[in-house]
Amino acid sequence: MIRHISRKLFFITAGSVIQGFAMAVFLFPHAIPSGGGAGIAVLLNHAFGVPMSLGLWMANFAFLIFTVHYLGSVSAFGTVFVITVTSVSVNFFEVFVKPPIGNVWIDLLIGSVILGTGISVLLRQRVSNGGIGYVALAIYKYKRIHPGTSLFWMNGFIFILTAYVIDWKIIVLAVACQWISTRVIKWIHRFPIPVWRGK
């Protein structure tokens, strides 16, 4: 049991760090939102100078608080852990890692692939990669609206708002990021999960 929990915790942490790395090094330098929470973080940074890492944590935590009583505290704890590790990772990589390329399209491609990899690791452990995904699950539970549909519309609204406030090309970049990362997630999920057995 302890080994199982330790292994699960390791992969959840790894997935969170990977997606934080993608955001901090490749996506956020170009104000590319990878999702609804990231979109709000970009807006807060642009309007009030709130650090991306703090804005990301605040946005996702707010989504989580409004839906925790619908889905339970156990799964909420996992999501809080994910968004906290991701936000700390974003802050760390923004401070200590300089974006290596600087071209928006190359960074978009690399960042989206890395982001999709991190999210895949989290989904394999059956945890949400952010608070807005938690909202989508709550809507599905009580309104029977497919999570993908509600997530699409919520993210879409935030992307449009972000693009209106900052730059309209953000919509193209955000949609491209979603499309690439989703393809990566689907591709990774085709592979079976390896099982390690102790002797």
Side-chain angles (χ1 to χ4, degrees):
M1 177 63 72
I2 294 177
R3 179 175 295 181
H4 171 75
I5 294 174
S6 299
R7 180 174 173 269
K8 188 177 183 69
L9 186 62
F10 169 80
F11 281 111
I12 291 175
T13 303
S16 302
V17 171
I18 290 170
Q19 74 168 357
F21 175 76
M23 292 176 186
V25 178
F26 296 100
L27 301 177
F28 282 166
H30 304 287
I32 302 173
S34 57
I40 293 176
V42 170
L43 280 172
L44 291 173
N45 178 262
H46 177 80
F48 305 106
V50 177
M52 289 287 197
S53 56
L54 179 59
L56 183 68
W57 190 89
M58 290 168 56
N60 281 295
F61 191 74
F63 285 129
L64 193 62
I65 287 297
F66 284 116
T67 52
V68 64
H69 59 285
Y70 293 109
L71 295 176
S73 58
V74 175
S75 54
F77 175 78
T79 305
V80 168
F81 181 78
V82 168
I83 63 178
T84 300
V85 174
T86 299
S87 298
V88 171
S89 299
V90 168
N91 183 69
F92 175 84
F93 291 123
E94 282 183 333
V95 172
F96 294 104
V97 179
K98 183 179 180 181
I101 299 173
N103 180 280
V104 62
W105 299 107
I106 297 176
D107 284 348
L108 170 66
L109 176 60
I110 296 174
S112 299
V113 170
I114 296 174
L115 178 72
T117 303
I119 294 174
S120 294
V121 173
L122 294 172
L123 293 178
R124 287 282 181 111
Q125 304 305 312
R126 302 185 185 279
V127 295
S128 170
N129 69 308
I132 197 167
Y134 212 66
V135 175
L137 291 175
I139 292 173
Y140 174 73
K141 183 176 181 179
Y142 287 92
K143 299 295 183 180
R144 309 311 297 176
I145 298 174
H146 192 278
T149 302
S150 57
L151 199 58
F152 172 82
W153 287 109
M154 286 188 291
N155 282 338
F157 173 78
I158 295 172
F159 291 162
I160 291 173
L161 179 62
T162 306
Y164 175 77
V165 172
I166 301 176
D167 191 329
W168 282 105
K169 74 177 183 180
I170 286 177
I171 290 182
V172 176
L173 297 172
V175 170
C177 177
Q178 292 266 299
W179 187 84
I180 296 170
S181 60
T182 302
R183 302 281 83 73
V184 171
I185 292 168
K186 290 183 177 179
W187 182 75
I188 291 177
H189 272 253
R190 292 178 182 174
F191 295 97
I193 302 175
V195 177
W196 290 276
R197 300 184 184 278
K199 294 183 179 180

